Each structure stands twice: as C-alpha cells, then as structure tokens.
Amino acid sequence: DQQVKQNSPSLSVQEGRISILNCDYTNSMFDYFLWYKKYPAEGPTFLISISSIKDKNEDGRFTVFLNKSAKHLSLHIVPSQPGDSAVYFCAAYSGGGADGLTFGKGTHLIIQP
Amino acid sequence: ETGVTQSPTHLIKTRGQQVTLRCSSQSGHNTVSWYQQALGQGPQFIFQYYREEENGRGNFPPRFSGLQFPNYSSELNVNALELDDSALYLCASSSRINYGYTFGSGTRLTVV
C-alpha cells in the first residue's frame, strides 16, 4: 500500500515556463512533507519542505502548496531552467520521524530548450 | 562542512554472502538512517539510529542490521544476500530526528 503517490512518472516543460509536480498521500498522520531532487549517480538533495500547519512555503523559484483536506501537495518551479531536469521525490513523515521518510516513486522532470 | 559519504560506491556480491556498507554522517549530525532504492522506485526506509540506538525500523527482515558508532558514523549489514537485495543503498543523516535529512550518493549493490 503506497502511502505517498506521484502519479506522473515523467513531465516535460519548456524552459522559462512553470513546472508543477504533484503528490498525493493517504496517511493523515503525516505532519511534515519534503521535496527532494535527484540527479543520476547522486543522492537525493533536499529542496523545500512544509509543515502540515501551513498551506504554502516559498524559497526562491520553488513553492510548495499543501491541501490537507485533499491530501495533496504540489511543487511549483518558476521559471524552469535546464538545470532543473532531474527526478523529483515527494516524501513525508509523522511524529518524531522515527519511522523514517516515506517516499513516492518520483517524477522525472525534463526541461526542454 | 563535510557532507554524508558512503563506501564503497559499487559492490558485486554472490547470493548467500554477507555485505557491510559504511556511512560517515555530516558533521554535527547525530541521527542516521538507511534507505533501499530499487530501480524505478522511491527510497524505502530500512532503519534509523539516534545516539547509537536503533529507534525506528521499516518493513525489512532481521537479516538487515546496523550499527552507529560514537562518532555517529554507521554501518548497514545484510546477511544471506538475495537477488532482490540488488539496489542503491542510501544513507542519510540529520541533526534532530524530525529535521531535514542530508543524503549520501549511495552504494550500488548488485547480487548475482
């Protein structure tokens, strides 16, 4: 049973446009959500996070939106740049994090020139 | 500030053998966790150590075991290797249990 779902395996966006990556979750106990970016042959790199008590968090070109009632979050990247091409993972944890992070399967974002 | 380093980067083992993977935490981090990432999947939580004690475990059998040392470095041991154990093994460290995690580049384990 997948508790964190990223239903789009890949997404292609033109350079300069907005990239929107989506993530759904089923566990209502999750209280912290994170986005990671991963290049081939490297470990995941932390991008941005949001607590369940907020509905938006912004950091430069990256904004994460959380809709708790829909159990849905999204990552917006504006404007998209070629270096943004990577696999993006949505992750979540609950309580003190002793159960570790629960990851989605990832979305491969491809920025086209 | 050094990041998380893992060794070796690649490893090939035979089914039934045992393997030890190593991880050095980022400076100042006292929590380390291990993840298994199979091809095309997201990382899956194996277990977590905080101040040398295991304080969380995912859905992995007992043949997956670990250690954390006083300097907060860590080992992942896998006994009786199976073909399905072939994966990228990621180590992550953090300064608090519920804080953002810094990942290493991983060890690619192939079991033949």
Side-chain angles (χ1 to χ4, degrees):
Chain A
D1 176 36
Q2 239 189 315
Q3 297 185 60
V4 176
K5 298 177 186 177
Q6 293 177 258
N7 292 318
S8 299
S10 67
L11 175 68
S12 185
V13 174
Q14 239 180 341
E15 182 180 354
R17 297 285 187 102
I18 183 171
S19 294
I20 300 176
L21 295 98
N22 293 304
C23 177
D24 297 296
Y25 62 96
T26 58
N27 187 344
S28 56
M29 300 300 290
F30 286 143
D31 52 17
Y32 211 78
F33 303 88
L34 308 92
W35 283 94
Y36 282 85
K37 173 181 178 180
K38 188 179 185 300
Y39 293 118
E42 294 184 13
T45 302
F46 171 74
L47 266 182
I48 192 168
S49 63
I50 188 166
S51 163
S52 59
I53 62 173
K54 297 188 174 183
D55 54 20
K56 178 182 174 181
N57 188 26
E58 198 169 351
D59 184 1
R61 296 186 299 114
F62 302 93
T63 303
V64 56
F65 295 92
L66 175 63
N67 182 334
K68 279 192 69 177
S69 60
K71 293 192 176 71
H72 176 83
L73 64 156
S74 61
L75 173 68
H76 292 211
I77 307 173
V78 184
S80 300
Q81 299 174 353
D84 295 331
S85 294
V87 177
Y88 289 77
F89 289 100
C90 172
Y93 68 75
S94 60
D99 292 332
L101 293 168
T102 301
F103 281 85
K105 290 187 176 183
T107 296
H108 185 194
L109 177 64
I110 301 160
I111 305 301
Q112 297 189 334
Chain B
E1 177 179 271
T2 57
V4 176
T5 57
Q6 293 186 241
S7 62
T9 53
H10 295 83
L11 200 52
I12 300 175
K13 288 287 190 177
T14 303
R15 189 171 49 181
Q17 283 188 314
Q18 177 266 344
V19 69
T20 297
L21 310 182
R22 293 180 174 81
C23 171
S24 293
S25 303
Q26 181 167 313
S27 176
H29 285 185
N30 56 16
T31 301
V32 67
S33 51
W34 287 89
Y35 292 80
Q36 180 195 68
Q37 186 180 11
L39 206 58
Q41 304 293 316
Q44 274 199 294
F45 176 65
I46 303 175
F47 45 59
Q48 177 168 275
Y49 281 82
Y50 173 63
R51 293 187 175 178
E52 302 176 58
E53 297 282 334
E54 182 181 302
N55 78 328
R57 189 175 183 93
N59 189 24
F60 280 81
R63 59 189 185 84
F64 285 78
S65 62
L67 281 173
Q68 187 182 28
F69 300 100
N71 66 354
Y72 303 127
S73 65
S74 176
E75 283 183 358
L76 163 65
N77 298 291
V78 187
N79 293 322
L81 283 166
E82 300 176 1
L83 296 179
D84 284 349
D85 296 333
S86 295
L88 178 68
Y89 288 85
L90 295 162
C91 170
S93 71
S94 64
S95 58
R96 295 183 297 166
I97 292 177
N98 59 347
Y99 194 69
Y101 296 82
T102 301
F103 282 83
S105 296
T107 294
R108 172 71 63 187
L109 172 65
T110 302
V111 182
V112 297

